[in-house]
Amino acid sequence: MKYLSLAQILQPCVGQGWAVGGYDTCNLEITQAIVDAAAADQAPAIIMIYPSHTPQTEWPTLTRIIEAEVERTRIPVALVLDHAKTLDQIRYALDLGFSGVMIDASLAPLDQNIALTRQAVELAHAQGVSVEAELGHVGQGHDVLSEDQQQSHLTRVDEAERFVKETGVDALAVSIGTLHGLYRGKPRLDFDRLSQLRTACQIPLVLHGGSDTPDQDLRRAIEIGIDKINIWTDVRIPFLRAVKEALNGPLEKIEVHEAFATARAVASEVIRQKNGLLGSTGKASLYA
């Protein structure tokens, strides 16, 4: 079994009005839900491991689980390290066979972000692995920021053009108003900024904070030029809710595998809905 690189799995959707979902996983059942949905939809999938969800010592086990689940299907998959903060994390992911890595220095000054990203690109490209980076900063939905703070986190077009040129990065996560997790209010996406970024940057663009963002906003972002959308919270909460409901009874009568099978099915259905929204359903044939 061979993973597609991040660049390879994104290439067919660039400029075509659809996007590939980037789905985080931290266990067997959510991995199965991603793979089940992709197989049922014949959709490509980007499966991601996020260091804040999974300690580095557990990456070898989780990557083996992912590999075993992907091998039971014929779907095109990329295995990506999400939001790495250090080059040591990048090196470890490369040793484990990841086909994509995301280096996140988005809170650092521009020159430092460029320098760290360039080093990550050099390491990854030497092994045929693609790199995603973030410019601007996608914060957390629970953070309370002033209007000026929110605007300061958005991706500047001139900086993005310079960033892509000087780093050689393969995909760029941009900040246009989305946030990670659940929003306190209604998100306001800067589609004009996205349109300018699409014109300035001739590489795939990524939208983080895809959860809790209105469907019509995601569709418009894709139509303008987003090629990958990261989704976690919209999968995590229904999964946990299903587990909680399955445990609502005498514990001596509850089987562990049955409780998690229900949650797996719920998560898979959510991911299938997302694949349909993103337009990736039926696109696996493009990778033959």
Side-chain angles (χ1 to χ4, degrees):
M1 188 279 302
K2 181 176 176 61
Y3 295 114
L4 296 176
S5 72
L6 179 61
Q8 289 171 330
I9 206 165
L10 292 179
Q11 191 279 327
C13 68
V14 175
Q16 301 302 310
W18 62 281
V20 181
Y23 300 105
D24 285 301
T25 187
C26 59
N27 65 4
L28 169 63
E29 289 79 14
I30 291 177
T31 301
Q32 290 173 324
I34 297 168
V35 173
D36 290 346
D41 291 338
Q42 284 299 290
I46 297 169
I47 301 177
M48 304 187 299
I49 294 177
Y50 182 24
S52 293
H53 299 160
T54 306
Q56 188 167 317
T57 55
E58 296 178 11
W59 295 2
T61 299
L62 186 53
T63 56
R64 291 188 188 101
I65 288 171
I66 294 169
E67 183 172 353
E69 287 303 307
V70 171
E71 281 182 341
R72 66 181 171 86
T73 72
R74 293 184 177 274
I75 56 171
V77 171
L79 175 61
V80 174
L81 178 63
D82 194 18
H83 286 286
K85 297 294 187 180
T86 68
L87 293 178
D88 283 343
Q89 289 177 326
I90 297 290
R91 292 187 185 95
Y92 194 57
L94 295 175
D95 288 343
L96 289 174
F98 283 66
S99 65
V101 292
M102 188 240 172
I103 183 70
D104 181 2
S106 58
L107 287 175
L110 177 61
D111 286 345
Q112 292 181 24
N113 193 348
I114 288 174
L116 184 61
T117 301
R118 186 188 298 120
Q119 292 178 72
V121 168
E122 290 172 354
L123 286 171
H125 282 189
Q127 297 191 35
V129 173
S130 307
V131 179
E132 174 187 331
E134 183 172 324
L135 184 64
H137 179 67
V138 179
Q140 301 294 325
H142 55 68
D143 291 339
V144 179
L145 301 176
S146 68
E147 184 68 24
D148 287 345
Q149 288 174 315
Q150 292 174 0
Q151 287 295 314
S152 70
H153 284 175
L154 300 183
T155 306
R156 288 180 46 177
V157 178
D158 59 331
E159 291 182 351
E161 193 168 16
R162 176 190 167 194
F163 187 89
V164 170
K165 181 179 180 180
E166 295 188 15
T167 63
V169 73
D170 301 287
L172 182 66
V174 295
S175 175
I176 61 168
T178 56
L179 296 170
H180 292 107
L182 300 177
Y183 295 94
R184 283 179 174 266
K186 184 179 179 181
R188 292 177 294 176
L189 276 60
D190 190 339
F191 293 111
D192 289 339
R193 184 184 300 265
L194 176 58
S195 181
Q196 294 172 39
L197 288 165
R198 177 69 285 166
T199 299
C201 303
Q202 303 305 307
I203 61 172
L205 297 181
V206 181
L207 190 67
H208 287 216
S211 294
D212 204 29
T213 301
D215 289 356
Q216 63 269 24
D217 286 350
L218 293 182
R219 280 305 316 164
R220 187 175 177 191
I222 292 168
E223 290 163 2
I224 292 172
I226 288 293
D227 305 297
K228 171 178 178 268
I229 295 182
N230 284 17
I231 298 166
W232 169 241
T233 301
D234 278 354
V235 175
R236 175 178 64 86
I237 290 179
F239 180 88
L240 291 175
R241 184 180 295 118
V243 172
K244 184 177 181 180
E245 291 174 356
L247 297 177
N248 186 24
L251 293 182
E252 64 272 14
K253 296 183 178 180
I254 298 172
E255 293 293 343
V256 172
H257 75 277
E258 292 177 356
F260 280 98
T262 299
R264 166 185 172 181
V266 168
S268 184
E269 182 56 34
V270 171
I271 294 167
R272 293 199 66 183
Q273 293 171 2
K274 297 297 183 182
N275 288 341
L277 175 65
L278 272 54
S280 62
T281 299
K283 299 300 195 300
S285 61
L286 298 177
Y287 299 86

